[in-house]
Amino acid sequence: MSTATIHQYAPKTAGKAPEVPIRHMDFKFDAKDLDTTFFKDTEFATAYFQALSIFLTFGEELVIDTARYHRQFLKDPVLKQRVTALIGQEAIHSKMHDEFNDTLAEHRYPVALYRFLADNVFEYGFKKLPNRMQLSLMAGIEHFTAVLAEYMMKNEEVFYETGDEKQRALWMWHMLEESEHKDIAYDVYETLSGNYPLRVSGFALAAFTIMFLVPLGGAAIPVYRKPTKLLSLRYWKDVKTSLVFLVGPKEGVYGSTVKHILDYLRRDFHPNDHDTTAYLEYYKEKLLNPKTGLLSPYLVKEFVPKLRA
Ligand SMILES: [Fe+2]
Ligand SMILES: [Fe+2]
């Protein structure tokens, strides 16, 4: 992409964009503490999130590579600084989820198989797309993680039906940061492209991945771990309850957020139209207070990338 393609776009956050810090974490996961029914005490819905944990590390690598490539074309030093923060946050998400995924492998999750499949889909599929399409895909992925983060922050109780503190800390930290940086990829896309049909294409590809491929992987997990489950009535009851929690129109993770998901298709959409500042303040205090914060035992260091002209 040449710099000649840059059009006039002023991010809605321009001039008042909050600083996005990079936090180094160390959870030291232990496989013996893993709760396989972490999400609302269900196996099937939890498997979706665990499949997401495996696949999202590949999505994060794509976000990192795409953001790093396109940063060079940006003129605004604040947006450049924020892109560096996005890259830093995603790099640590990917590293921490990889460590978590290693503990899943110890519980007979198909981690090696899913890594192999994702590696091929990304290497020979997504990473071969033109740069601008990758940029649009990045913005689309970040929209879905922003929707998920907002849902999680509004439904804090979903994290507390488990005694698995580290898994809770992992997801709460990740969701906090997804919400912190939710406008950055979008602002880069609008600054360097802004093409609406292309934005919709990236959204469609992200939707296909997150709402079709990942659930497919999630659905296979319980059966892969123990095929005889298919004969158990208890398992099918779990599937039924899980589907309500995932796609139910009232409380489902994706069922109750359809409007937010589709809002991305508005021509003048911006991630900050969905104001999460009050939630961010609440969670920063709850998670990062040096004495009482849930994340404090796992936080190694925190810094804001330098502003460079
Ligand atoms: Fe992330
Ligand atoms: Fe993200």
Side-chain angles (χ1 to χ4, degrees):
M1 181 185 299
S2 82
T3 49
T5 59
I6 293 177
H7 68 138
Q8 288 304 310
Y9 170 76
K12 287 189 185 176
T13 45
K16 55 182 169 73
E19 286 183 332
V20 177
I22 298 171
R23 302 182 185 91
H24 284 253
M25 309 297 290
D26 187 5
F27 291 104
K28 292 193 175 60
F29 296 109
D30 190 331
K32 74 172 168 25
D33 300 327
L34 181 81
D35 179 1
T36 55
T37 57
F38 166 81
F39 191 79
K40 299 180 93 166
D41 213 18
T42 57
E43 187 176 1
F44 189 84
T46 300
Y48 170 77
F49 285 98
Q50 292 170 336
L52 185 65
S53 175
I54 300 167
F55 290 122
L56 66 74
T57 60
F58 292 86
E60 282 163 340
E61 292 303 323
L62 182 128
V63 168
I64 292 165
D65 291 347
T66 308
R68 196 173 277 149
Y69 173 76
H70 289 89
R71 182 175 50 186
Q72 62 184 312
F73 302 116
L74 298 169
K75 294 264 161 54
D76 175 4
V78 174
L79 187 53
K80 272 185 156 177
Q81 176 197 33
R82 302 186 92 232
V83 170
T84 303
L86 168 69
I87 293 168
Q89 286 196 340
E90 294 297 7
I92 299 164
H93 298 169
S94 184
K95 184 168 185 282
M96 292 301 105
H97 275 273
D98 254 339
E99 289 178 14
F100 174 70
N101 298 339
D102 288 342
T103 68
L104 294 178
E106 291 185 46
H107 286 262
R108 288 186 40 81
Y109 280 75
V111 179
L113 173 67
Y114 285 6
R115 280 176 175 157
F116 170 79
L117 293 175
D119 213 18
N120 280 285
V121 169
F122 278 79
E123 213 43 54
Y124 301 105
F126 297 166
K127 287 186 182 175
K128 297 276 186 249
L129 293 169
N131 285 325
R132 282 196 207 183
M133 185 59 197
Q134 287 191 34
L135 186 61
S136 173
L137 176 59
M138 166 173 92
I141 291 172
E142 287 294 288
H143 172 60
F144 277 94
T145 52
V147 170
L148 191 58
E150 189 171 323
Y151 173 88
M152 295 295 199
M153 291 199 295
K154 284 181 174 166
N155 296 276
E156 189 185 355
E157 72 283 355
V158 300
F159 295 113
Y160 286 91
E161 286 190 31
T162 180
D164 186 346
E165 276 182 32
K166 289 186 179 179
Q167 194 170 177
R168 177 190 304 141
L170 172 73
W171 284 109
M172 289 185 92
W173 158 71
H174 195 165
M175 293 300 106
L176 169 77
E177 294 197 345
E178 287 304 326
S179 201
E180 267 184 323
H181 71 229
K182 68 178 177 183
D183 52 359
I184 301 176
Y186 188 88
D187 283 343
V188 175
Y189 179 78
E190 287 298 319
T191 303
L192 298 181
S193 170
N195 180 290
Y196 177 74
L198 187 66
R199 175 156 72 81
V200 173
S201 310
F203 168 86
L205 194 52
F208 175 72
T209 309
I210 293 166
M211 302 184 79
F212 181 71
L213 293 182
V214 177
L216 208 59
I221 284 175
V223 181
Y224 178 92
R225 293 182 68 222
K226 200 174 174 208
T228 52
K229 268 189 195 305
L230 291 172
L231 305 171
S232 136
L233 192 64
R234 217 175 121 210
Y235 173 66
W236 289 106
K237 276 187 183 162
D238 182 295
V239 172
K240 197 175 157 202
T241 315
S242 294
L243 287 174
V244 173
F245 292 155
L246 290 173
V247 291
K250 272 204 181 117
E251 55 177 315
V253 177
Y254 294 113
S256 69
T257 55
V258 172
K259 260 176 88 177
H260 188 177
I261 292 171
L262 296 179
D263 198 29
Y264 193 77
L265 300 177
R266 235 190 328 120
R267 275 189 182 264
D268 61 348
F269 168 83
H270 189 273
N272 292 337
D273 296 341
H274 296 261
D275 186 7
T276 41
T277 45
Y279 285 105
L280 285 176
E281 285 315 309
Y282 170 78
Y283 279 97
K284 274 188 207 164
E285 171 57 27
K286 181 166 186 128
L287 301 179
L288 296 161
N289 181 300
K291 284 192 183 137
T292 58
L294 176 71
L295 294 175
S296 297
Y298 315 114
L299 180 66
V300 180
K301 65 173 175 180
E302 175 178 338
F303 66 96
V304 175
K306 281 201 180 100
L307 187 69
R308 294 174 207 274

